[in-house]
Amino acid sequence: MRRLLVCSMMMAFLLGTGSAFAQNDITSKYRSTMIPRFVQYVQISSMSDTNAEWMTPGQEKMANVLYEEVKQFGFPTHFSQDKYIYVNIPSNLKDRQAPVLGLSAHYDTTPDIIGENIKPQVITHYDGQPIVLQNNHVIDFTSDPYLQKMVGKTIVTSDGTTNLGADDKAGVTILMTLLQTLAENPTIPHGPIQVVLTPNEDVGRSAERLDLNYYNPDYAFDFDAGVNGELITGNFSAEGVIVTAFGVNGHQSYAAENGYRNSADPIALITKKVARKRNLPNYSTGREGYIEPHHFEYNPKENTHSVDFRLRYFNQKDGKRWHKRLERAAQRAADKFGVEIEMQITKQYENVAYGVKPEAYNLLIQATQEAGVTPNPKEERAGTTSAMIMAKHGFGGYTIFTGQNNPHAFTEWLSEEDMFKAYKVAFNLVKHTAQMNASK
Ligand SMILES: [Zn+2]
């Protein structure tokens, strides 16, 4: 009892005098704007497309809507030819230089599921009953234990005929709400802030045409993770490895004389040597990597065969080991069959942990806790914009929860409360980086 009393007195003291109170006031004011904003965004279909040269008409429309909205906030804004939207907010600190804070989200949605004509259903005061959507899709506690925490709260689902697109319209909503907050409250102290809204994340290309003149922060945070508290602090490195064997044309029957060589044998040997059973994805969990011969291609005119491996690993030592193994297998096949072999490695994701400043972790944990959220840092067997930026541009960033659940599914849903808390995390990041000193 005594302890409790002391605690509540301290709380009263903090709330009465600390700046935390004023800050909470500001963020709470914007809470009610978030669902209408989110609902507006998801109704604009903006699926990316693996086969598109770059943009899809839907993404273009979404980008234009966002750009028009962003312009009203009055910050220096750059809308690139490739439809990235950059907002560069200059520091308003008078006495010193703070580090540059970077915040990102993607406005495309996945091409893997129907994402057109999305009809969001806003459920307020959720009663805990199974949510029955069209086409027999059901969201309930069995399939979704986290839903139990949403009783009495507001959630958003699709009508079941499409996904919802909370991945990543939730992230976009969070950043747009933050921009509005900063625009309408110019006395909030902040250092330089760079915000980028990207296309094509769900086809693995959100970092591809990123312009570092507008986005190259000291601390980068991406808003694209899942539920309350989820913070992605590491990920596997991902590579596409294409190994091609060049056969020699001629008639098989006179191969001894004319030098004919087929290109299938060497590729079969390489595949057998590299992708042993224990290296396959279905034997890999946690921090174990894998290699998968994902598909083969044969070009009869050129007499070439190639195998497209998907290689995933969590640390650089493993990566080197895999590359050595691939090279050894390729050399063996070249020697045995007398053909030339070429290996092309394309890095898709790099572990963000390699490129993050050490103090970024504490910054994120503090910002999360102050939003009333228990941090749940984890490494993921996947990659988002941060991992693509790390692979292409060499700086890493953490990925923060947004309130999206079950992405890429008809049963995708959004937690209004988690989205609001993620916005508070973003606000806290602004507040805390303003108190740091830029390292020069
Ligand atoms: Zn996403």
Side-chain angles (χ1 to χ4, degrees):
M1 281 304 282
R2 236 185 119 85
R3 264 184 80 159
L4 269 176
L5 189 66
V6 172
C7 279
S8 59
M9 277 171 67
M10 275 181 61
M11 281 280 285
F13 174 73
L14 277 174
L15 285 174
T17 60
S19 60
F21 185 63
Q23 180 222 114
N24 277 337
D25 255 356
I26 289 174
T27 53
S28 315
K29 210 177 110 186
Y30 290 92
R31 183 168 185 166
S32 61
T33 67
M34 293 187 81
I35 286 291
R37 183 171 258 145
F38 173 79
V39 163
Q40 183 209 344
Y41 295 161
V42 296
Q43 288 180 92
I44 302 165
S45 165
S46 57
M47 294 160 74
S48 44
D49 179 351
T50 326
N51 300 317
E53 194 274 324
W54 181 247
M55 290 300 280
T56 54
Q59 287 193 87
E60 204 149 338
K61 191 173 168 204
M62 185 77 236
N64 290 334
V65 168
L66 292 170
Y67 178 58
E68 288 307 315
E69 188 181 350
V70 157
K71 269 200 302 192
Q72 293 172 14
F73 299 140
F75 298 121
T77 300
H78 176 65
F79 192 22
S80 79
Q81 253 191 340
D82 300 315
K83 307 293 173 192
Y84 287 76
I85 300 166
Y86 302 92
V87 185
N88 286 185
I89 309 177
S91 167
N92 63 3
L93 303 172
K94 298 209 166 54
D95 45 344
R96 57 200 178 76
Q97 290 204 310
V100 181
L101 172 67
L103 306 168
S104 60
H106 67 93
Y107 61 76
D108 66 310
T109 64
T110 179
D112 294 346
I113 180 169
I114 305 163
E116 264 162 5
N117 283 321
I118 293 172
K119 296 179 198 72
Q121 322 281 309
V122 180
I123 302 171
T124 52
H125 311 290
Y126 171 54
D127 61 6
Q129 292 304 306
I131 302 163
V132 182
L133 306 173
Q134 290 185 46
N135 300 340
N136 300 321
H137 296 295
V138 180
I139 309 173
D140 60 19
F141 293 170
T142 323
S143 58
D144 232 314
Y146 185 62
L147 194 64
Q148 293 176 57
K149 293 232 188 314
M150 295 299 126
V151 176
K153 296 176 183 170
T154 298
I155 61 174
V156 187
T157 71
S158 76
D159 67 354
T161 61
T162 66
N163 67 345
L164 176 62
D167 174 11
D168 185 26
K169 302 284 171 70
V172 175
T173 301
I174 289 160
L175 295 187
M176 291 298 259
T177 310
L178 179 74
L179 289 172
Q180 186 186 351
T181 310
L182 294 173
E184 293 177 358
N185 300 275
T187 58
I188 296 170
H190 62 78
I193 302 169
Q194 298 180 345
V195 173
V196 61
L197 305 175
T198 82
N200 286 335
E201 193 275 344
D202 270 304
V203 291
R205 299 177 72 185
S206 56
E208 194 176 301
R209 300 188 186 182
L210 185 76
D211 187 341
L212 298 196
N213 289 313
Y214 299 96
Y215 193 77
N216 193 2
D218 295 303
Y219 301 104
F221 297 95
D222 187 40
F223 284 81
D224 194 16
V227 297
N228 189 7
E230 186 179 72
L231 307 171
I232 309 298
T233 55
N235 53 273
F236 56 34
S237 299
E239 291 173 4
V241 183
I242 300 175
V243 184
T244 305
F246 295 85
V248 181
N249 287 331
H251 197 293
Q252 291 88 328
S253 308
Y254 304 101
E257 293 86 26
N258 67 13
Y260 164 83
R261 298 286 183 272
N262 97 14
S263 55
D265 273 338
I267 289 302
L269 180 68
I270 294 166
T271 307
K272 189 172 155 232
K273 287 268 170 227
V274 174
R276 308 240 176 102
K277 184 176 160 186
R278 63 174 187 280
N279 302 327
L280 296 177
N282 45 320
Y283 288 89
S284 159
T285 56
R287 298 188 89 250
E288 291 166 342
Y290 62 81
I291 192 160
E292 177 191 26
H294 187 264
H295 61 268
F296 297 93
E297 254 170 57
Y298 171 49
N299 180 338
K301 282 201 186 107
E302 309 276 335
N303 189 4
T304 62
H305 267 86
S306 59
V307 51
D308 193 333
F309 289 108
R310 298 204 169 163
L311 173 60
R312 307 288 185 261
Y313 55 87
F314 272 92
N315 64 63
Q316 282 156 318
K317 235 167 103 186
D318 279 355
K320 285 201 183 113
R321 204 165 47 80
W322 281 112
H323 291 165
K324 273 222 178 83
R325 180 180 291 182
L326 280 155
E327 278 162 25
R328 266 204 312 269
Q331 191 58 55
R332 242 181 111 164
D335 293 347
K336 181 170 177 186
F337 296 104
V339 294
E340 278 187 27
I341 297 193
E342 186 187 88
M343 195 158 87
Q344 266 186 323
I345 301 179
T346 311
K347 185 150 267 179
Q348 291 140 347
Y349 306 149
E350 181 70 285
N351 192 342
V352 294
Y354 303 152
V356 176
K357 291 191 170 72
E359 60 276 16
Y361 185 81
N362 285 341
L363 173 66
L364 175 60
I365 297 295
Q366 195 182 9
T368 306
Q369 284 170 337
E370 281 180 20
V373 176
T374 308
N376 176 20
K378 54 162 98 160
E379 294 185 304
E380 71 173 350
R381 294 168 63 81
T384 50
T385 295
S386 302
M388 296 175 212
I389 292 178
M390 184 65 209
K392 185 153 171 70
H393 304 291
F395 66 90
Y398 294 137
T399 300
I400 299 172
F401 69 95
T402 59
Q404 51 172 282
N405 291 265
N406 293 345
H408 304 200
F410 293 106
T411 51
E412 185 182 11
W413 60 277
L414 172 92
S415 157
E416 181 273 339
E417 184 179 67
D418 286 351
M419 181 169 70
F420 172 62
K421 284 180 175 170
Y423 152 74
K424 286 177 80 152
V425 174
F427 187 91
N428 293 340
L429 288 171
V430 169
K431 191 181 78 176
H432 285 295
T433 44
Q435 289 158 4
M436 296 164 75
N437 286 310
S439 55
K440 273 277 151 344

